[in-house]
Amino acid sequence: HVKNVLSKDEAADYVEESNRVLARQNDDLKKGIRQSHCDYKYYKYSGDHLYNMSRKTRAFDPLFGHPFVVSTMDRVMGAQSILMQSELRRPVAGADQSSRGYQFHTDGRMPVQENFWIIAFWVFQDFTEANGATKVIPRTQFATKPVDIDSAEKIQILASAGDVFFMNANLLHATGVNRDGSSRWVLIATYNPWFIKPSVDHTKLFTRPEFDEMSPQLKQVYGFTSIPPADERKRVYTCRPWEEIVDEIEFAKEPVCS
């Protein structure tokens, strides 16, 4: 848990962007468009929950490729990290508490004794007991037998706007109940080592001009330095500097978002 990585003003700006993204999604709901989207069908139970932010806005790019976050992920994983997936969440009062998000669960793809899936939580608004701050069961990320959830020690992560905290995705955790109805936007970015497939192929989302504007860290976490080779005559290694493989990249023809 690292305090004040963002200033209060920066956090407030990200709240405004979160509200704008939600408003666009709600407009699509009114038009009958959003209901057919897979992520809406899957996530709509838990309040305001938006998936794959890189298709919805470029405003969060500085956070995905934040030098401190990327260097932390690389160090903890012992390898280049890439962005597995991203979510924008705001638990709301009155949400269905029987749904998965409110039950203790893990988000790693499988139980392993490694830090292969690490989540960075960017706190845009305060996490409090009253608005349902995330709860965790400490030291369960490497559990080798079932955990007695009822009797296990539980900790609620209280944080201030501008903080960022990290969590192994296999740590048992749950969304708290938002009792006071206050807004609690959080950007959830999950990373894994370059040699594990991400949930989203970010390399297909950007045009060449957009790519050229990215920082080195952003090019890395979006997967542009770990594209598997298709032609053994050109290369046989996956993890290579982007400069060596840029001619092989299949860039998007048009921007997918503004």
Side-chain angles (χ1 to χ4, degrees):
H1 187 161
V2 185
K3 295 182 177 297
N4 301 319
V5 179
L6 300 175
S7 69
K8 299 303 181 186
D9 287 343
E10 289 173 324
D13 288 341
Y14 283 121
V15 169
E16 291 184 8
E17 178 62 17
S18 301
N19 289 329
R20 283 192 289 267
V21 173
L22 179 62
R24 291 196 294 269
Q25 298 301 302
N26 286 339
D27 285 343
D28 283 347
L29 271 175
K30 294 176 182 177
K31 297 173 184 176
I33 298 172
R34 182 93 172 103
Q35 290 87 335
S36 65
H37 295 176
C38 181
D39 62 320
Y40 175 77
K41 295 177 182 178
Y42 188 79
Y43 286 119
K44 65 177 181 179
Y45 63 77
S46 56
D48 296 326
H49 194 158
L50 306 173
Y51 182 72
N52 193 13
M53 300 316 301
S54 302
R55 277 190 59 86
K56 297 176 172 66
T57 177
R58 300 297 308 282
F60 299 130
D61 280 6
L63 305 185
F64 296 142
H66 194 286
F68 169 70
V69 169
V70 176
S71 63
T72 298
M73 296 295 177
D74 291 355
R75 176 174 52 81
V76 172
M77 294 178 186
Q80 282 191 23
S81 58
I82 59 175
L83 184 67
M84 172 187 172
Q85 64 181 47
S86 60
E87 305 162 57
L88 186 65
R89 296 197 63 182
R90 182 174 64 173
V92 297
D96 180 6
Q97 296 175 33
S98 67
S99 60
R100 181 177 183 271
Y102 290 91
Q103 312 306 310
F104 278 96
H105 64 281
T106 63
D107 287 326
R109 287 184 171 175
M110 60 186 299
V112 293
Q113 300 296 304
E114 302 286 348
N115 289 306
F116 279 169
W117 297 279
I118 303 293
I119 306 172
F121 292 81
W122 286 96
V123 179
F124 296 158
Q125 293 174 302
D126 293 351
F127 274 39
T128 69
E129 292 181 6
N131 68 15
T134 302
K135 299 177 291 184
V136 303
I137 301 180
R139 300 175 295 279
T140 54
Q141 66 269 37
F142 300 139
T144 57
K145 58 183 180 180
V147 175
D148 185 346
I149 292 176
D150 290 337
S151 63
E153 174 193 11
K154 301 173 183 68
I155 295 176
Q156 197 160 24
I157 301 175
L158 306 182
S160 299
D163 293 357
V164 62
F165 63 89
F166 302 96
M167 184 183 78
N168 185 303
N170 278 327
L171 185 74
L172 282 166
H173 63 284
T175 299
V177 177
N178 189 335
R179 301 192 309 273
D180 67 5
S182 62
S183 183
R184 181 172 73 76
W185 279 117
V186 58
L187 179 68
I188 303 172
T190 304
Y191 298 77
N192 56 243
W194 67 267
F195 50 80
I196 296 176
K197 276 188 176 182
S199 298
V200 174
D201 186 353
H202 296 97
T203 66
K204 301 292 193 295
L205 299 182
F206 307 105
T207 64
R208 178 61 193 267
E210 289 176 322
F211 169 83
D212 289 339
E213 294 177 355
M214 293 180 184
S215 68
Q217 293 89 351
L218 196 59
K219 289 173 179 172
Q220 173 188 314
V221 299
Y222 274 151
F224 287 107
T225 61
S226 53
I227 299 174
D231 187 340
E232 78 286 353
R233 296 169 299 178
K234 295 182 178 179
R235 61 184 171 103
V236 295
Y237 293 108
T238 296
C239 196
R240 302 303 302 159
W242 66 266
E243 295 93 339
E244 293 185 14
I245 65 171
V246 67
D247 292 337
E248 303 175 39
I249 299 174
E250 298 176 9
F251 292 106
K253 302 300 183 185
E254 300 289 340
V256 299
C257 65
S258 57

